């Protein structure tokens, strides 16, 4: 009897962004990992982009939560609610019966938490759920042939954590994770604007500064961004200008810390694998890889060749597609 084929669902459950891929439909969800609840009824009133827009603007009857913080699940109820929210979205396209779900999450998510996510998927009617390290999926989605005996090194600079891993023969040989990534940079920007410009800004403004004017290129053309917040002296709304040069100075010590983690992984890498990395270089992915000059920065500090993943923010979900295919779920449309 022919083996029954299942519909594949791939999820990148990141600290900042949640991506969902459904075979035959492509990436059907690519929105912030945020969920909003009605406090009285406990009902989910918004998820993703819609919930993100509510951050910092709610009243006492609404609670907005980010399920993950710094690469770990900080609010399990919110994590389950958000996952349920996206499964319901999938249900509007396809039945979850006879489906196979692959959830990619940060390495620091515990076994108990992984089981809880699997239970939820099961309750939603999904027959098989697998949890995979995001660094493995990210490496595949970045175009690395992780099944070859040639070792590869990957640096994933996400929102909550930066993960550095060495992969060989289909799995992670060693990895390290630090809670210094996009959100940390945002907090450093907030502190800086507070001290230097006497202005209190919110997390969304800090992220905008990072995404619009950050650079790691010492001689990059200067960019400026006008932002507003609350003046700390007068207590009134006020505006200021932040330059790419200011953000560059902030980023250097942060990336030095990331480099130290890369060094420590390289130091622990067995010699044969280390020599492969010298030959093949390093791949960077995750939202942090979008900062102009990251590739050049690592090439200079590490003295190794560095390549940026073709789609840094989608690498994990792209890898999930491949892993689903390998697990034997069926592909309705090969273009997806
Ligand atoms: N153009 C950009 N320049 C700088 N940072 C960016 C850019 N675009 C996105 N980011 C940042 O990348 C981070 C999100 O990246 P990503 O989606 O890879 O993280 P995540 O998978 O949600 O988090 P994690 O992997 O840590 O759980 C955010 O901090 C976001 O602000
Ligand atoms: Mg990620």
């Amino acid at each position: 009897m022919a083996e029954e084929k299942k519909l594949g669902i791939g999820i990148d459950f990141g600290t900042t962004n949640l991506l969902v891929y459904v075979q035959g439909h492509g990436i059907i969800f690519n929105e912030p990992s945020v969920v909003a609840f009605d406090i009285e009824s406990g009902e989910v009133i918004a998820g993703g982009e819609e919930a993100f827009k509510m951050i910092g603007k709610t009243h006492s009857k609404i609670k907005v939560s980010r399920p993950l913080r710094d690469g770990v699940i900080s609010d399990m109820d919110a994590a389950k609610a958000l996952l349920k929210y996206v499964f319901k979205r999938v249900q509007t396209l396809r039945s979850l019966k006879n489906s196979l779900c692959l959830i990619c999450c940060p390495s620091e998510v515990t076994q108990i938490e992984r089981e809880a996510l699997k239970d939820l998927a099961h309750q939603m009617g999904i027959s098989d759920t697998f949890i995979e390290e995001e660094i493995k999926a990210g490496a595949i989605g970045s175009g690395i042939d992780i099944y070859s005996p040639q070792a590869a090194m990957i640096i994933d600079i996400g929102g909550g954590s930066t993960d550095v891993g060495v992969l060989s023969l289909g799995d992670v040989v060693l990895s390290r994770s630090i809670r210094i990534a996009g959100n940390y940079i945002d907090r450093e920007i907030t502190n800086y604007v507070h001290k230097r410009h006497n202005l209190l800004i919110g997390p969304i403004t800090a992220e905008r500064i990072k995404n619009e004017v950050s650079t790691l290129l010492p001689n990059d053309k200067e960019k400026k961004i006008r932002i507003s917040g609350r003046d700390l002296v007068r207590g009134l709304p006020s505006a200021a200008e932040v330059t790419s040069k200011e953000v560059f100075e902030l980023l250097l010590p942060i990336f030095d810390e990331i480099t130290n983690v890369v060094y420590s992984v390289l130091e622990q890498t067995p010699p044969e694998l280390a020599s492969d990395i010298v030959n093949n270089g390093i791949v960077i992915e995750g939202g942090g890889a979008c900062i102009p000059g990251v590739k050049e920065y690592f090439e200079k500090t590490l003295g190794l060749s560095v390549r940026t993943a073709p789609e840094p923010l989608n690498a994990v979900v792209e890898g999930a597609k491949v892993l689903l295919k390998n697990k034997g779920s069926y592909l309705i449309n090969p273009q997806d």
Side-chain angles (χ1 to χ4, degrees):
M1 205 173 79
E3 202 190 324
E4 207 177 357
K5 300 273 188 168
K6 292 186 172 130
L7 173 77
I9 303 167
I11 299 180
D12 170 9
F13 204 167
T15 307
T16 312
N17 298 309
L18 174 66
L19 285 82
V20 181
Y21 158 77
V22 180
Q23 279 179 341
H25 298 272
I27 297 169
I28 63 136
F29 192 92
N30 182 358
E31 297 186 25
S33 297
V34 184
V35 62
F37 298 93
D38 177 309
I39 291 180
E40 263 172 37
S41 68
E43 288 290 306
V44 169
I45 49 174
E49 199 66 57
E50 216 186 314
F52 179 79
K53 287 190 190 136
M54 297 179 178
I55 292 176
K57 295 179 182 169
T58 53
H59 47 72
S60 60
K61 293 198 177 72
I62 297 177
K63 179 187 160 204
V64 182
S65 181
R66 283 188 178 274
L68 288 113
R69 195 183 152 83
D70 299 340
V72 294
I73 294 185
S74 54
D75 184 341
M76 195 62 205
D77 289 339
K80 286 186 184 170
L82 186 56
L83 211 50
K84 202 167 166 181
Y85 179 85
V86 292
F87 282 141
K88 283 189 177 162
R89 187 73 76 90
V90 178
Q91 263 173 334
T92 63
L93 302 166
R94 305 281 307 218
S95 159
L96 296 177
K97 235 176 86 195
N98 207 20
S99 57
L100 188 150
C101 180
L102 182 78
I103 306 175
C104 304
C105 56
S107 56
E108 307 242 330
V109 171
T110 67
Q111 198 52 40
I112 294 172
E113 290 164 343
R114 287 167 191 230
E115 290 305 322
L117 298 181
K118 276 190 185 176
D119 278 352
L120 176 90
H122 190 71
Q123 282 162 26
M124 293 296 292
I126 292 168
S127 22
D128 286 315
T129 307
F130 299 87
I131 307 275
E132 194 54 90
E133 300 296 330
E134 67 164 349
I135 194 123
K136 180 172 161 184
I140 298 172
S142 301
I144 297 174
D145 176 9
I146 67 158
Y147 299 99
S148 89
Q150 284 281 314
M153 177 177 255
I154 181 127
I155 306 175
D156 175 350
I157 310 166
S161 63
T162 294
D163 294 84
V164 182
V166 175
L167 293 105
S168 176
L169 293 169
D171 231 319
V172 180
V173 179
L174 77 157
S175 69
R176 262 198 73 188
S177 177
I178 44 156
R179 293 173 186 188
I180 293 186
N183 298 347
Y184 178 86
I185 299 173
D186 298 346
R187 291 198 290 272
E188 289 292 290
I189 291 176
T190 307
N191 294 341
Y192 170 81
V193 174
H194 183 161
K195 275 196 226 133
R196 172 71 184 78
H197 298 281
N198 264 325
L199 203 65
L200 199 61
I201 56 166
I204 294 172
T205 304
E207 186 177 19
R208 241 186 70 224
I209 297 173
K210 175 192 65 189
N211 294 3
E212 289 180 30
V213 301
S214 64
T215 180
L216 275 162
L217 296 167
N219 299 317
D220 211 357
K221 190 167 171 279
E222 189 168 68
K223 284 194 216 147
K224 289 179 181 160
I225 181 169
R226 199 163 171 77
I227 44 116
S228 45
R230 185 152 54 86
D231 185 298
L232 284 161
V233 180
R234 296 180 299 138
L236 297 172
S238 182
E241 205 167 65
V242 178
T243 68
S244 51
K245 188 81 197 145
E246 290 174 278
V247 181
F248 172 78
E249 297 295 339
L250 276 175
L251 288 180
L252 282 185
I254 296 173
F255 273 82
D256 281 351
E257 288 201 51
I258 295 177
T259 305
N260 286 336
V261 175
V262 181
Y263 276 135
S264 81
V265 173
L266 284 170
E267 275 162 19
Q268 290 162 24
T269 303
E272 292 297 341
L273 303 185
S275 100
D276 289 345
I277 294 166
V278 171
N279 293 331
N280 302 330
I282 296 174
V283 177
I284 46 172
E285 50 113 353
C290 299
I291 296 175
V294 181
K295 171 184 141 67
E296 292 78 359
Y297 170 89
F298 283 126
E299 280 185 332
K300 191 159 170 250
T301 52
L302 300 168
L304 295 167
S305 74
V306 177
R307 174 171 75 79
T308 308
E311 291 180 275
L313 285 152
N314 287 11
V316 174
V317 85
E318 290 296 329
K321 281 186 195 177
V322 178
L323 286 164
L324 281 168
K325 217 164 128 186
N326 295 351
K327 283 191 187 294
S329 58
Y330 77 99
L331 204 64
I332 297 163
N333 176 356
Q335 270 81 277
D336 287 325

